[in-house]
């Protein structure tokens, strides 16, 4: 909420709540009924010079922030996420009570570690004790001391989840001298917590007592306590059991040392002769972490003293990490880690204590963006003690290295290199966003969530994590399994990710993975197993130029690397000879269409995981392109229409060349511009070359007509082209005469194309249709001064003045703006190959929701273009699916009421232009369309949304998008469901008053529907692009559209009509509420009404029975039935 424009407004205007503010803040501001009056200041006070503090603040705002707004937004956000004093008091009281309870827990007698009978039945040990038998003895003694550690004391907690960490120090007497071996320490720790849990669960103080794994690490259970009653949500207290800091000798835990014996782990009676034990760095690290908890707290509190900016900066960084889903799970970039990083930058003087929170955020992101901790680690240890391990030792044991002040603990031990590279990529992207003045950096960085589905171009899931046990066998990861306490997910994950990253090195700039997360569980339940992390999700971020290449070229056959290449790719690798004469190893992937090429990464992933990791294909659920099925045409497994679109454009290019070079025309053609969506690659179902079957039609002289006995012929769309003729003094200055001259040109063009190029043409007054290569092009002649002549108006005084008329506007739109838009978007398609498919998915969805007549195609194209031109905080989409998900998100979350959507085509707008557009927009909001789109050539009028969508339709669109998005994301993120993505393309019909069901054989585009009919009727055409001398086919004939036109003309004042033009079988009707109110009787307004008597007066009301009958009569032969939902309205 704090990020919204209202919040910033409130900060500027002072305490009065804005009218349109959010409900939550409205409530808070309500009690102060009388608005506070501004304080009366004397003249001296009003004009006193600014204090030094105010001056530094002004200077800082100018230097650092793009605008004072950003500063206010950040301050507002910090207010929103920090903990309030009132809550702190409650939490402190809760902590005191816990303290007194813990010290009162009774001791237990000493038993063997494996004898756990003394625990009651209600508590299960929160530890996977595999193998079970282990030496050692245990007894419970109350804690030696309790200390609050972590963010609560430093004041860097961030709402909504407030966690308070308490270190419970276990007394020395419960340990023996070999407890560092074979999980003995970890098991004692788990038993210690179990006994505490057993006692605390009886107390009335707690609302819940549960176990969880610290950062989902199986070796580290913790105990969660929440208060009773309505305060339960306020806080979670996490108890960490830890030893005395000097209980163990640190040298036992260096990264190269072993503390788990292979014989014990494999349950063999005696160790094999002559085997050396492998190092167990992760296991060692997990024990060391517990010993340094308190020293970390002291270290951080020293850093935070006299440094208010650190607190704010950490709050911002934590919000940044949360929005990117980086801060929870095994190997996450936690809040603690980021605090240590800020302390490191302070130590290295990259940050100074004078800095504000925003500067801390920037410096930290800058450091992350430019430093790769997986190559060059960093250390907080000050004095180089020669006996301590060096950074290289850590690099050999861990993927990412960040050593703590003791020089012993790697804070990033569980993090994979891939996760760190993801953090790096996000930081780099964030720095670009902050430096880009055209982007609202605050909104993009801190207020926009980045779930995996919308961030990555392709996603796939590993359905059954238990298959990773096989991977550990295949990759021989026994040492890693011992080190990770048997957790095969954690052991195999880094190897799988690096395998995929190698296989996709050219194609993907990042292969990321979700963080394994295990939810908390009740204390009487068995602890979760390794497989309970659920499916793992992987995300791929593509390099658009190479993602779809079919060839993987390897080294030359006689080079030593060739063997390695062959081993990596298995039987897919073969010797090939290339054009330069070299003979190399290469892998060629099968893919013919663009949509199959986009899925080459899927082939690679399935192949490599099967070959090297023993993961069967059935366990991989790849959801990169599930949505594309709705824009696939025809039954055969062809592509998704990209190729069809290219061939249309080729045919058009050829025709435009022929028009340029026509001989014997009185005036030459100066420009040929396409305006049909297929010519900018955004036609939902591109035209397919067709030749008519004569026997199916009725014949007229040179052309065919639909036959009444047969089904409706296939829909052939005319591809509209504007032909600009050169100017000349001979053009008349009268609008009627110009129209006649244009008609003459249409006839002449048809004649010349027939003579010089043998093309079949059919001229008409307003255009000429040309049949070429199986397509029909519709040529329309344009004269550049005609719009101006249409604007002429003669005033009564005889003055000539120019003003926009409906006709001139329409003509300008068709002959100037639409061709420009088409060529701009055609250019965008060349930069971003998936722009067209994304736009087609978006239009298919809008049409499926029956709203295609309520919003223009150009408007949707521009909305989609916005996602590619202004993707912050994301990267531009490289797959249609992620583009479509972001389109739904844009519709659902953009603030249409208070902001213009600026689509900067061809970067034609500067920073100052954008500011000016925004200011003018705010000044004249009430007169502007509800959805306002500004482009470089159309900054003020928003011509594509002037007529439609109306406010009600926009509201409906926003609602549908915000319902569809979560439903679709849930389907795509759940690999165990049936993943029926078409559900968001099936509209809810219970919302409408009347449904008109149509006869399928009369719907020409039936095959374009979302759920295709099983058997299709012949439509009287065959696919053919070489026919030349034919009778002219039936063009632009869609009976449903003609019927809709008639319905709208007749009943526009009574009802709204909705239809899916891509093969919908239902027309949905919504009565207009106002038309149902009784009107006074007038003879002139009796259409569709009948007279009744109400309160002794003659009134007219809609004659619904007759109207429904009219629906059927008007659509005879097309309408199958009319279904009136009378339970929704009464007559």
């Amino acid at each position: 909420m704090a990020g919204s424009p209202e919040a910033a407004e409130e900060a500027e205007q002072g305490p009065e709540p804005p009218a349109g503010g959010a409900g939550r803040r409205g409530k808070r501001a309500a009690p102060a009924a009388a608005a506070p009056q501004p304080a009366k200041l004397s003249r001296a006070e009003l004009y006193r010079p600014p204090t030094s503090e105010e001056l530094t603040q002004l200077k800082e705002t100018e230097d650092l922030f793009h605008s004072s707004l950003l500063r206010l937004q950040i301050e507002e956000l910090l207010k929103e996420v920090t903990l309030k004093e009132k809550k702190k008091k409650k939490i402190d009281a809760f902590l005191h009570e816990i303290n007194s309870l813990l010290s009162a827990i009774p001791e237990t007698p000493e038993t063997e570690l494996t004898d756990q009978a003394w625990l009651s039945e209600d508590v299960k040990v929160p530890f996977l004790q595999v193998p079970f038998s282990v030496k050692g003895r245990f007894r419970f003694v109350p804690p030696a001391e309790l200390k609050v550690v972590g963010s609560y004391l430093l004041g860097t907690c961030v709402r909504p989840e407030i966690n308070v960490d308490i270190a419970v120090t276990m007394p020395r007497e419960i340990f023996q001298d070999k407890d560092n071996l074979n999980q003995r320490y970890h098991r004692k720790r788990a038993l210690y917590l179990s006994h505490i849990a057993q006692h605390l669960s009886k107390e009335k103080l707690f609302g819940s007592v549960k176990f969880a794994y610290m950062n989902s690490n199986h070796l580290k259970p913790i105990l969660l306590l929440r208060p009773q009653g309505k305060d339960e949500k306020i806080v979670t207290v996490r108890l960490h059991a830890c030893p005395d800091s000097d209980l163990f000798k640190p040298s036992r835990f260096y990264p190269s040392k072993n503390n788990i014996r292979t014989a014990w782990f494999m349950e063999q009676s005696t160790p094999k002769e002559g085997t050396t034990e492998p190092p167990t760095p992760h296991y060692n690290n997990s024990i060391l972490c517990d010993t340094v908890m308190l020293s970390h707290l002291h270290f951080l509190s020293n850093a935070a003293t006299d440094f208010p900016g650190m607190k704010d900066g950490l709050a911002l960084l934590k919000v940044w990490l949360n929005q990117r889903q980086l801060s929870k799970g095994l190997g996450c970039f936690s809040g603690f880690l980021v605090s240590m990083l800020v302390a490191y930058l302070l130590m290295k003087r990259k940050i100074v204590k004078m800095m504000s929170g925003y500067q801390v955020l920037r410096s930290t992101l800058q450091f992350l963006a430019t430093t790769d901790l997986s190559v060059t680690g960093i250390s907080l240890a000050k004095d180089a003690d020669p006996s301590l391990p060096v950074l290289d030792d850590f690099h050999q044991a861990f993927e990412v290295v960040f050593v703590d002040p003791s020089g012993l603990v790697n804070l990033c031990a569980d993090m994979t290199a891939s996760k760190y590279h993801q953090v790096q990529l996000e930081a780099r992207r964030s720095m670009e966003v902050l430096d880009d003045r055209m982007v609202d950096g605050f909104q993009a960085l801190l207020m926009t969530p980045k779930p995996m589905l919308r961030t990555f171009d392709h996603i796939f899931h590993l359905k059954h994590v238990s298959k990773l046990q096989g991977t550990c066998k295949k990759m021989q990861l026994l040492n890693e399994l011992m080190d990770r306490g048997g957790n095969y997910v954690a052991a195999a994950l880094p190897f799988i990710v690096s395998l995929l990253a190698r296989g996709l090195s050219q194609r993907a700039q990042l292969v990321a993975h979700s963080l394994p997360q295990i939810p908390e569980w009740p204390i009487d339940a068995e602890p979760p197993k390794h497989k309970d992390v659920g499916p793992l999700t992987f995300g791929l971020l593509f390099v658009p130029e190479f993602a779809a290449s079919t060839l993987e070229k390897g080294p030359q056959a006689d080079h030593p690397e060739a063997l390695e290449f062959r081993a990596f790719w298995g039987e897919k690798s073969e010797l090939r000879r290339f054009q330069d004469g070299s003979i190399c190893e290469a892998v060629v992937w099968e893919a013919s269409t663009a949509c199959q090429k986009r899925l080459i990464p899927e082939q690679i992933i399935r192949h490599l995981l099967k070959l090297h990791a023993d993961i069967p294909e059935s366990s991989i659920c790849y959801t990169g392109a599930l949505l594309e099925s709705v824009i696939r045409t025809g039954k055969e497994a062809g592509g998704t229409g990209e190729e069809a679109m290219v061939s249309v454009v080729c045919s058009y290019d050829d025709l435009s060349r022929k028009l340029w070079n026509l001989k014997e025309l009185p005036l030459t053609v100066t420009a040929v511009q396409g305006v049909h969506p297929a010519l900018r690659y955004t036609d939902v179902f591109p035209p397919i070359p067709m030749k008519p079957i004569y026997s199916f039609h009725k014949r007229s002289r040179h052309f065919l007509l639909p036959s009444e006995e047969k089904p409706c012929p296939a829909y052939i769309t005319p591809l509209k082209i504007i032909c600009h003729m050169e100017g000349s003094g001979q053009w008349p200055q009268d609008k009627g005469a110009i129209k006649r001259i244009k008609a003459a040109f249409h006839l002449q063009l048809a004649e010349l194309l027939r003579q010089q190029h043998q093309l079949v043409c059919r001229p008409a007054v307003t255009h000429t249709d040309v049949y070429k290569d199986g397509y029909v092009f519709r040529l329309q002649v344009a004269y550049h001064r005609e719009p101006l002549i249409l604007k002429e108006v003669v005033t009564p005084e005889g003055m000539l003045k120019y003003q926009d008329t409906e006709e001139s506007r329409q003509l300008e739109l068709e002959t100037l703006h639409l061709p420009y838009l088409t060529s701009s978007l055609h250019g965008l398609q060349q930069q971003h190959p998936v722009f067209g498919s994304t736009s087609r998915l978006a239009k298919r969805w809008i049409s499926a929701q029956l709203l295609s007549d309520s919003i223009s195609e150009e408007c949707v194209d521009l909305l989609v273009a916005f996602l590619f031109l202004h993707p912050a905080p994301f990267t531009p989409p490289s797959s249609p699916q992620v583009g479509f998900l972001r389109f739904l998100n844009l519709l659902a979350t953009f603030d249409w009421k208070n902001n213009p959507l600026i689509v900067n085509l061809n970067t034609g707008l500067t920073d100052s232009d954008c500011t000016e557009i925004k200011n003018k927009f705010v000044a004249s909001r009430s007169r502007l369309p509800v959805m306002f789109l500004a482009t470089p050539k159309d900054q003020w009028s928003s011509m594509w949304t002037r007529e439609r969508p109306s406010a009600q339709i926009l509201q409906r669109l926003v609602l549908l998008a915000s319902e569809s998005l979560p439903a679709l994301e849930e389907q795509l993120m759940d690999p165990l469901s049936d993943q029926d993505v078409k559900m968001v393309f099936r509209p809810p019909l219970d919302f409408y008053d009347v449904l008109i069901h149509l006869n399928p054989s009369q719907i020409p585009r039936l095959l374009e529907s979302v759920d295709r009919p099983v058997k299709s009727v012949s439509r009287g055409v065959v696919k053919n692009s070489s026919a030349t001398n034919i009778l002219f086919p039936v063009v632009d004939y869609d009976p449903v559209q003609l019927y809709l036109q008639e319905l709208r003309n007749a009943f526009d004042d009574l009802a709204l009509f909705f239809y899916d033009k891509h093969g919908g079988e239902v027309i949905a009707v919504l009565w207009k509420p106002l038309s149902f109110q009784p009107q006074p009787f007038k003879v002139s307004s009796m259409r569709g009404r009948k007279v009744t008597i109400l309160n002794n007066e003659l009134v007219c009301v809609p004659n619904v029975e007759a109207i429904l009958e009219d629906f059927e009569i008007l659509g005879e032969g097309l309408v199958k039935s009319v279904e009136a939902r009378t339970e929704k309205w009464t007559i």
Side-chain angles (χ1 to χ4, degrees):
M1 167 60 229
S4 63
E6 292 119 343
E9 248 167 45
E10 180 180 326
E12 286 178 89
Q13 296 164 352
E16 187 167 304
R24 191 153 57 99
R25 205 194 302 93
K27 274 188 214 147
R28 228 180 298 158
Q37 297 301 313
K40 289 271 185 284
L41 296 173
S42 69
R43 195 178 168 81
E45 277 178 310
L46 266 175
Y47 292 101
R48 69 154 199 263
T51 62
S52 61
E53 251 177 57
E54 288 169 332
L55 276 174
T56 48
Q57 210 173 7
L58 286 168
K59 177 90 183 92
E60 191 184 68
T61 302
E62 189 182 359
D63 293 350
L64 272 181
F65 300 95
H66 289 325
S67 61
S68 49
L69 182 64
L70 180 61
R71 172 175 210 128
L72 295 166
Q73 285 172 319
I74 284 182
E75 283 170 7
E76 196 64 27
L77 172 70
L78 288 169
K79 263 188 241 161
E80 196 76 12
V81 297
T82 45
L83 196 58
K84 307 281 181 285
E85 278 305 313
K86 194 171 119 192
K87 296 254 171 75
K88 267 197 184 139
K89 289 202 176 79
K90 280 188 178 172
I91 293 174
D92 288 342
F94 185 54
L95 292 176
H96 280 301
E97 297 193 52
I98 292 177
N99 191 3
S100 52
L101 284 173
L102 282 176
S103 46
I105 294 177
E107 297 189 13
T108 63
E110 190 168 64
T111 58
E112 286 295 320
L113 254 183
T114 47
D115 167 23
Q116 293 160 6
W118 55 273
L119 262 178
S120 85
E121 290 292 300
D122 310 338
V123 179
K124 302 275 188 293
V125 182
F127 195 85
L128 296 173
Q129 304 183 58
V130 184
F132 184 69
S133 64
V134 66
K135 293 180 184 158
R137 304 178 68 71
F138 175 77
R139 68 189 183 113
F140 182 89
V141 181
E145 67 167 334
L146 298 171
K147 265 278 174 48
V148 175
V149 292
S151 56
Y152 181 69
L153 276 189
L154 299 171
T156 57
C157 290
V158 172
R159 288 169 41 199
E161 290 182 25
I162 300 290
N163 293 320
V164 179
D165 297 288
I166 297 186
V168 179
T169 308
M170 300 181 279
R172 279 173 178 259
E173 55 260 40
I174 71 169
F175 292 107
Q176 283 110 2
D177 53 355
K178 284 201 174 170
D179 278 352
N180 55 315
L181 294 178
N182 298 352
Q183 300 183 359
R184 285 190 214 174
Y185 162 74
H186 290 97
R187 295 186 186 195
K188 286 192 174 175
R189 197 179 162 282
L191 285 167
Y192 198 84
L193 286 173
S194 313
H195 187 65
I196 293 179
Q198 180 183 333
H199 278 269
L200 296 188
S201 62
K202 303 187 182 115
E203 296 293 333
K204 291 275 181 290
L205 176 66
F206 304 110
S208 71
V209 177
K210 289 186 169 178
F211 284 127
Y213 289 131
M214 181 64 189
N215 285 336
S216 296
N217 181 349
H218 284 264
L219 295 174
K220 285 290 192 60
I222 52 178
L223 187 61
L224 308 183
L225 308 171
R226 293 193 179 89
Q228 180 71 37
K230 67 177 194 304
D231 291 345
E232 185 167 8
K233 296 277 185 297
I234 290 187
V235 66
T236 302
V237 173
R238 310 196 287 190
L239 297 188
H240 303 258
C242 61
D244 253 349
S245 55
D246 52 354
L247 176 71
F248 296 117
K249 218 164 72 202
S251 58
R252 286 181 180 174
F253 296 111
Y254 288 175
S256 55
K257 292 290 193 340
N258 166 280
N259 279 304
I260 287 203
R261 305 291 186 250
T262 316
W264 170 78
F265 188 76
M266 301 299 288
E267 301 190 72
Q268 298 156 346
S269 49
T270 53
K272 289 199 179 109
E273 284 302 307
T275 50
T276 54
E277 295 287 346
T280 51
H282 290 90
Y283 174 89
N284 301 350
N285 204 68
S286 73
I287 296 182
L288 284 170
C289 276
D290 286 354
T291 62
V292 291
M293 271 185 164
L294 291 171
S295 64
H296 285 171
L297 175 74
H298 295 311
F299 175 74
L300 283 175
S301 62
N302 285 341
T305 42
D306 308 325
F307 187 2
M310 176 164 170
K311 192 171 142 183
D312 294 349
L314 283 176
L316 293 174
L317 280 161
K318 285 181 181 180
V319 172
W320 183 82
L321 287 164
N322 285 341
Q323 293 289 32
R324 282 156 185 70
Q325 298 186 344
L326 294 167
S327 58
K328 278 200 187 79
L330 183 67
C332 63
F333 206 100
S334 62
F336 165 66
L337 194 54
V338 90
S339 315
M340 293 302 257
L341 183 62
V342 170
Y344 170 81
L345 295 177
L346 185 68
M347 189 176 100
K348 288 281 182 246
R349 307 241 163 79
K350 294 231 165 66
I351 287 180
V352 290
K353 292 203 172 187
M354 291 292 295
M355 285 187 175
S356 68
Y358 176 67
Q359 284 169 299
V360 171
L361 172 76
R362 277 196 72 120
S363 308
T364 311
L365 290 180
Q366 180 62 37
F367 176 80
L368 282 171
T370 51
T371 319
D372 189 350
L373 296 185
S374 65
V375 182
T376 50
I378 53 176
S379 172
L380 284 161
K382 281 214 175 67
D383 43 349
D385 177 351
S387 67
L388 284 175
V390 290
L391 279 176
D392 279 351
D393 300 340
F394 282 106
H395 274 296
Q396 274 175 344
F398 302 105
E399 288 204 82
V400 186
V401 176
F402 178 12
V403 181
D404 84 321
S406 71
L408 294 166
V409 180
N410 178 14
L411 301 170
C412 294
D414 290 330
M415 193 180 292
T416 61
S418 145
K419 192 47 70 177
Y420 183 75
H421 291 147
Q422 187 185 346
V423 174
Q424 244 195 315
L425 200 78
E426 289 289 0
R428 219 172 293 142
R429 185 81 192 95
S430 299
M431 287 309 290
E432 287 164 20
V433 169
L434 282 177
D435 294 336
D436 182 355
R437 290 180 165 275
M438 304 282 272
V439 180
D440 175 1
F442 175 78
Q443 196 65 30
L445 248 63
L446 301 168
M447 302 308 288
T448 313
K450 292 191 68 175
M452 285 186 84
L453 263 181
R454 267 179 268 149
T455 306
F456 294 102
D457 297 316
H458 278 188
I459 290 278
F460 71 93
H461 308 282
L462 184 57
K463 277 199 263 196
H464 316 113
V465 192
S466 51
K467 294 282 185 273
L468 290 175
Q469 285 167 291
T471 304
C472 291
K473 276 204 192 74
K474 175 94 175 183
M475 293 186 163
Q476 300 168 333
L477 303 179
L478 174 66
N479 298 351
E480 280 74 13
L481 266 177
M482 279 167 46
D483 188 16
R484 303 272 194 167
N487 184 352
Y488 49 83
V489 181
L493 189 60
F495 292 90
I496 286 212
V497 175
S498 59
L499 170 77
L500 295 177
R502 183 180 161 190
L504 297 165
S505 58
Q506 299 289 303
R507 302 161 190 274
Q509 46 178 328
L510 181 68
V511 179
H513 58 86
S514 62
L515 293 163
Q517 277 190 50
I518 292 194
E520 53 195 56
W521 68 95
I523 57 174
D524 55 359
E526 291 291 343
K529 308 274 189 298
H530 301 301
K531 64 171 192 295
D532 294 339
V533 292
L536 276 179
T537 306
F538 295 82
L540 313 175
L541 204 54
F542 290 136
V543 180
E545 298 82 52
F546 305 115
S549 77
T550 51
L551 179 77
E552 202 81 42
K553 190 175 171 185
Q556 291 201 355
D558 47 1
H559 283 202
E561 295 93 61
L563 267 172
E564 200 185 321
F565 185 86
R566 248 190 316 249
F568 185 72
W569 290 107
E571 78 278 10
K572 291 265 185 209
S573 171
E574 52 197 22
L575 282 177
R576 289 205 165 222
R577 183 174 188 151
F578 289 90
Q579 282 173 336
D580 58 359
S582 61
I583 295 176
C584 297
E585 289 285 345
V587 181
V588 176
W589 302 99
E590 288 295 310
S592 50
T593 60
C595 96
Q596 287 167 333
K597 284 182 183 160
R598 280 200 292 272
L599 283 174
I600 288 178
E602 174 178 11
Q603 292 186 42
I604 295 178
I605 286 164
R606 287 182 185 278
H607 172 69
L608 289 177
L609 288 182
K610 197 160 171 36
L611 183 68
H612 296 291
D614 252 357
I615 294 175
E617 297 210 0
S618 56
S619 293
I620 299 167
C621 171
Y622 198 93
T623 57
L626 284 183
L627 277 172
E628 294 177 28
S629 59
V630 288
I631 51 171
R632 214 170 254 145
T633 47
K635 285 209 169 56
E636 69 279 0
T640 42
E642 284 91 348
E643 291 71 29
M645 218 94 71
V646 172
S647 73
V648 173
V649 173
C650 289
S651 180
Y652 154 76
D653 287 342
D654 184 48
L655 178 64
S656 57
R657 272 193 298 278
K658 289 183 168 145
L659 286 166
W660 287 97
N661 302 327
L662 275 183
K663 300 182 183 66
E664 300 172 29
L665 255 183
L667 294 174
T668 56
V669 176
T670 56
V672 179
Q673 293 174 312
V675 293
H676 189 271
L679 301 174
R680 53 177 185 260
Y681 300 97
T682 63
D683 195 13
V684 181
F685 293 103
I688 295 164
M690 310 228 197
K691 171 181 180 252
I693 303 169
Y694 293 168
S695 62
F696 194 88
H697 298 72
K698 282 206 312 213
R699 292 189 191 200
S700 172
R701 272 216 330 277
H702 294 300
F703 42 85
L704 301 170
L705 298 171
S707 151
E708 284 170 25
E709 297 81 62
K710 297 273 201 292
C712 170
Y715 182 73
I716 295 181
T717 170
L719 300 157
K720 195 162 168 194
I721 296 177
I722 305 289
C723 281
H724 288 273
M725 304 310 254
E726 67 179 326
S728 142
Q730 306 289 312
W731 277 98
Q733 298 301 306
D734 169 65
K735 51 187 176 187
I738 291 179
K739 286 197 172 112
R740 292 190 178 84
I741 295 278
K742 277 163 58 179
F745 267 120
H746 290 136
L747 287 163
Q748 180 104 32
L749 279 173
E751 192 54 40
L752 294 175
L753 284 170
R754 194 175 302 139
Q755 284 171 13
Q756 296 173 24
H757 298 290
Q758 292 74 50
L759 291 172
V760 185
C761 301
R762 187 172 69 181
V765 176
T766 52
H767 58 264
T768 285
D769 283 348
V770 181
Y771 178 85
K772 173 178 187 299
D773 302 331
Y775 305 112
V776 174
F777 291 96
R778 179 161 286 181
L779 307 181
Q780 185 179 329
V781 168
Y783 166 49
H784 66 95
R785 291 210 47 214
E786 188 182 3
L788 197 65
I789 292 166
L790 286 176
K791 287 181 188 178
E792 287 178 359
V793 182
V794 180
T795 60
E797 293 80 52
M799 290 279 290
L800 186 66
K801 65 172 191 175
Y802 291 97
Q803 64 183 39
D804 278 350
T805 59
E806 201 41 60
E807 202 180 357
S808 73
R809 250 201 219 120
Q810 196 51 38
L811 190 72
E812 269 186 332
L813 203 66
E814 279 182 13
T815 58
L816 283 171
H817 299 298
L818 198 51
Y820 172 75
L821 180 74
T822 302
S823 64
S824 300
L825 294 177
H826 184 283
L828 186 66
Q829 168 73 19
Q830 307 307 325
Q831 291 170 326
H832 301 285
V834 299
F835 161 70
S837 309
T838 306
S839 180
R840 292 165 57 210
L841 271 175
K843 289 183 196 172
R844 185 68 194 91
W845 178 79
I846 284 175
S847 178
Q849 303 298 342
L850 313 183
L851 295 174
S852 53
D853 291 336
S854 317
I855 181 168
S856 66
E857 285 211 21
E858 293 75 24
C859 166
V860 184
D861 285 343
L862 282 170
L863 289 178
V864 174
F866 175 81
L867 300 170
F868 286 84
L869 294 168
H870 312 280
F874 302 100
T875 47
S878 285
S879 76
Q881 181 163 296
V882 74
F884 175 66
L885 289 168
R886 288 187 207 163
F887 166 78
L888 289 180
N889 188 49
L890 173 71
L891 266 186
T893 58
F894 190 79
D895 182 1
W896 299 105
K897 184 172 157 220
N898 299 313
N899 289 313
L901 188 81
I902 301 174
V903 186
N904 197 356
L905 291 169
N906 309 335
T907 51
L909 294 170
T910 60
D911 189 24
S912 53
D913 291 338
C914 292
T915 316
E916 194 187 349
I917 291 175
K918 284 176 184 157
N919 295 341
K920 282 200 181 176
F921 171 83
V922 172
S924 52
R925 179 65 188 112
S926 54
R927 297 195 298 281
L928 296 171
V930 283
M931 181 187 256
F932 186 87
L933 305 183
T935 60
K937 287 267 195 271
D938 167 32
Q939 297 183 20
W940 314 120
S941 66
S942 186
M943 60 179 75
W944 308 111
T945 59
R946 191 186 294 135
E947 310 291 323
R948 50 199 185 153
S950 64
Q952 292 84 349
I953 294 291
L954 180 62
Q955 192 183 354
R956 176 93 184 133
L957 262 176
V958 169
L959 175 75
L960 285 166
S962 45
E963 294 288 321
S964 299
L965 184 64
L968 190 54
E969 293 193 331
E970 189 184 339
Q971 289 287 328
L972 292 172
M973 279 311 279
D974 178 11
L976 305 170
S977 73
D978 56 353
Q979 294 203 310
D980 176 17
V981 289
K982 285 187 175 178
M983 58 184 252
V984 298
F985 289 84
R986 297 188 189 111
L989 292 175
D990 43 9
F991 168 74
Y992 299 99
D993 298 322
V994 179
L995 299 180
I996 304 174
H997 296 278
L998 306 175
N999 173 3
S1001 70
Q1002 293 302 329
I1003 304 175
R1005 312 194 207 179
L1006 193 63
L1007 285 177
E1008 298 178 3
S1009 55
V1010 173
D1011 299 296
R1012 310 267 151 80
V1014 188
K1015 54 177 198 290
S1016 56
V1017 272
S1018 159
R1019 295 274 172 206
V1021 288
V1022 286
K1023 283 188 186 168
N1024 184 341
S1025 57
S1026 58
T1028 47
N1029 195 6
I1030 61 156
L1031 292 177
F1032 215 87
V1034 179
V1035 178
D1036 200 15
Y1037 173 61
D1038 186 344
V1040 190
Q1041 292 297 339
L1042 302 171
Y1043 175 54
L1044 269 172
Q1045 204 47 58
E1046 288 186 8
L1047 288 176
R1048 285 182 179 136
N1049 293 344
F1051 304 109
D1052 194 38
D1053 52 339
L1054 292 172
L1056 295 169
F1057 298 90
F1058 299 93
Y1059 177 64
D1060 174 3
K1061 66 180 179 192
H1062 298 294
E1065 296 186 34
V1066 171
I1067 294 177
V1069 187
L1070 205 54
W1071 298 124
K1072 292 188 173 174
L1074 292 175
S1075 61
F1076 270 65
Q1077 288 168 0
Q1079 314 262 331
F1081 171 64
K1082 275 200 198 117
V1083 179
S1084 58
S1085 62
M1086 278 307 292
R1087 204 172 69 183
R1089 299 179 186 277
K1090 61 180 181 185
V1091 181
T1092 58
I1093 292 176
L1094 183 72
N1095 304 339
N1096 297 335
E1097 285 191 21
L1098 277 183
V1099 291
C1100 21
V1101 292
N1103 184 356
V1104 177
E1105 287 101 331
I1107 292 172
L1108 296 183
E1109 206 176 315
D1110 286 353
F1111 287 172
E1112 289 203 51
I1113 294 168
L1114 275 175
E1116 191 189 346
L1118 174 63
V1119 174
K1120 197 160 67 174
S1121 64
V1122 174
E1123 176 191 349
R1125 304 278 186 89
T1126 42
E1127 73 276 6
K1128 292 178 69 79
W1129 42 272
T1130 48
I1131 297 169

